[in-house]
């Protein structure tokens, strides 16, 4: 199904400019054309189709659903909704407060917020087309697990102690209300007809595409540069053995770098093709996507430094563990 | 005079929303004051989870995107 993009890239990168398929410039250009054209077409078609289906799902619904749920189930649902609910990272503070003031425990809210940047429809599509279904499935399972365990740990440590005062008060009031009455069902959500769904899906496609196309170009560009200009065996020789220290090093390198999932997946593809072990790659990429300094600075307005530091170290440890376990398991996958 | 508040934690879409409302108000010669509200606490009080959101004379009229021209015109009339 994706062969057409390979053939187009053959033609545009090798035949037209007369570059050799064994030359560095030729392979870099080929990688760039093949991946960027494939990703753009996939994004346009699939975002539209997915948006059509989930048009009526939004953060308000999720909040109403999660409010007053049983805890154990809550982490799973929080993380699951985090993966499928559309929401822009610039809304993470209002979403955090909206959930909190509905009395939802901090851990469940954080399951939602931690999973959300790691897993979304664009990331899953890219993984499927570039790295195959097995890798995608593992990525999704790991992403959700990190979200759930992160939430559980935060609640076990009673993280609500370290909220900013107004947020802590909102949580208390919310929980008092939640026990008073059964949670208010989403009664003001109108049913959508096909026309409205189409409109939503069209706007969503344009909006997401407008936001991510630059990331695709940057990510594929970096991937192509790696492909074409890093000596063939360099990565494999130096890091190919899955040396234990390479995983925490990759995470530490990844955290200050910020990218969203769309930009980083083409880089992952290129790193893996060059012999970087899958676990190390995954650890690096998840840390660039999930933890970013701008996001932490925003969260500072609702969380005290202690809680922020806790979340930060928790992610650091989680991604390192993921990398190690994945590297150990790779021979069996 | 209408008091218009644009709620948002400081993303680029929020400033764009404030700018377009001011621009359309000027076109329609409607006297308004547009302010940007970035305090998370205030945004929470309006129960807004998706920004930018628009509040006119203390009534929440919109949330989740840069509002459309037609909507802005209808609020200003």
């Amino acid at each position: 199904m994706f062969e057409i993009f390979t053939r187009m890239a053959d033609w545009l990168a090798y035949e037209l400019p007369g570059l050799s398929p064994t030359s560095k410039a030729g392979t870099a250009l080929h990688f760039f054309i093949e991946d960027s054209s494939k990703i753009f077409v996939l994004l346009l078609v699939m975002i539209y189709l997915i948006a059509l289906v989930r048009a009526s799902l939004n953060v308000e619904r999720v909040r109403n659903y999660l409010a007053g749920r049983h805890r154990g189930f809550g982490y799973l649902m929080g993380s699951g909704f985090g993966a499928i609910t559309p929401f822009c990272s610039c809304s993470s503070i209002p979403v955090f407060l909206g959930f909190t003031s509905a009395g939802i425990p901090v851990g469940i809210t954080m399951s939602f917020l931690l999973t959300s940047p790691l897993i979304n429809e664009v990331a899953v599509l890219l993984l499927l087309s570039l790295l195959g279904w097995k890798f995608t499935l593992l990525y999704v399972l790991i992403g959700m697990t990190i979200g759930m365990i992160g939430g559980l740990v935060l609640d076990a440590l009673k993280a609500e102690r370290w909220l900013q005062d107004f947020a802590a008060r909102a949580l208390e009031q919310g929980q008092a209300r939640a026990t008073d009455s059964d949670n208010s069902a989403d009664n003001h959500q109108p049913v959508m007809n096909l026309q409205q769904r189409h409109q939503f899906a069209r706007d969503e496609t344009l909006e997401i595409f407008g936001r991510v196309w630059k990331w695709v170009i940057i990510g594929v560009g970096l991937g192509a540069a790696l492909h074409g200009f890093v000596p063939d065996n360099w990565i494999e020789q130096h890091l190919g053995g899955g040396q234990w220290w390479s995983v925490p090093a990759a995470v530490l390198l990844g955290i200050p770098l910020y990218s969203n999932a769309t930009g980083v997946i083409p880089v992952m593809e290129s790193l893996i093709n060059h012999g970087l072990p899958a676990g190390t790659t995954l650890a690096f990429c998840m840390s660039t996507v999930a933890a970013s300094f701008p996001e932490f600075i925003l969260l500072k307005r609702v969380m005290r430094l202690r809680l922020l530091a806790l979340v930060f170290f928790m992610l650091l440890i989680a991604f390192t563990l993921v990398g190690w376990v994945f590297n150990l398991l790779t021979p069996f996958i | 005079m209408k008091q218009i508040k644009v709620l948002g934690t400081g993303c680029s879409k929020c400033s764009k929303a404030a700018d377009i409302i001011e621009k359309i108000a000027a076109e329609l010669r409607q006297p308004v004051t547009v302010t940007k509200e970035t305090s998370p606490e205030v945004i929470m009080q309006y129960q807004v989870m998706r920004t930018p959101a628009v509040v006119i004379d203390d009534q929440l009229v919109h949330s989740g995107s840069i509002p459309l021209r037609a909507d802005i015109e209808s609020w200003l009339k």
Side-chain angles (χ1 to χ4, degrees), chain A residues 183-197:
Chain A
N183 66 69
S184 55
D186 50 352
N187 38 23
H188 52 274
Q189 297 275 355
V191 179
M192 288 178 116
N193 63 29
L194 201 61
Q195 172 74 29
Q196 286 165 317
R197 279 177 185 268

Side-chain angles (χ1 to χ4, degrees), chain A residues 221-284:
Chain A
L222 279 173
L226 270 168
H227 226 68
F229 302 104
V230 173
D232 269 343
N233 299 320
W234 192 89
I235 293 180
E236 196 161 3
Q237 272 170 11
H238 292 83
L239 299 165
Q243 290 87 336
W244 70 267
W245 53 266
S246 65
V247 175
V251 174
L252 283 175
L253 186 67
I255 285 180
L257 294 175
Y258 170 67
S259 166
N260 69 12
T262 324
V264 91
I265 291 168
V267 180
M268 281 168 85
E269 180 198 14
S270 197
L271 286 170
I272 290 178
N273 287 342
H274 273 77
L276 189 68
T280 317
T281 312
L282 205 64
F284 172 69

Side-chain angles (χ1 to χ4, degrees), chain B residues 5-41:
Chain B
K5 275 191 244 174
V6 177
L7 313 182
T9 40
C11 55
S12 64
K13 272 199 242 166
C14 307
S15 348
K16 275 188 204 145
D19 291 346
I20 189 169
I21 293 173
E22 271 178 337
K23 193 176 135 236
I24 293 175
E27 278 172 26
L28 296 174
R29 298 177 194 284
Q30 291 279 354
V32 294
T33 50
V34 180
T35 47
K36 278 181 259 181
E37 181 57 72
T38 57
S39 150
E41 193 169 357

Side-chain angles (χ1 to χ4, degrees), chain A residues 60 90-91 95 97 166 301, chain B residues 9 38 40-41 49-51:
Chain A
E60 285 83 0
C90 56
S91 284
V95 167
L97 289 170
F166 77 93
R301 296 167 79 171
Chain B
T9 40
T38 57
E41 193 169 357
M49 287 204 288
R50 285 174 298 158
T51 55

Side-chain angles (χ1 to χ4, degrees), chain A residues 58-60 63 88 90-91 93-95 97-99 101 166 169-170 207 298 301-302, chain B residues 8-11 13 38-44 47-52 63-65:
Chain A
N58 56 37
V59 279
E60 285 83 0
R63 177 194 54 193
C88 145
C90 56
S91 284
I93 297 299
V95 167
L97 289 170
F99 281 25
S101 59
F166 77 93
R169 271 199 307 278
E207 137 103 52
L298 272 178
R301 296 167 79 171
V302 290
Chain B
T9 40
C11 55
K13 272 199 242 166
T38 57
S39 150
E41 193 169 357
V42 177
I43 296 175
M44 181 181 74
Q47 301 199 330
V48 163
M49 287 204 288
R50 285 174 298 158
T51 55
S63 118
S65 60

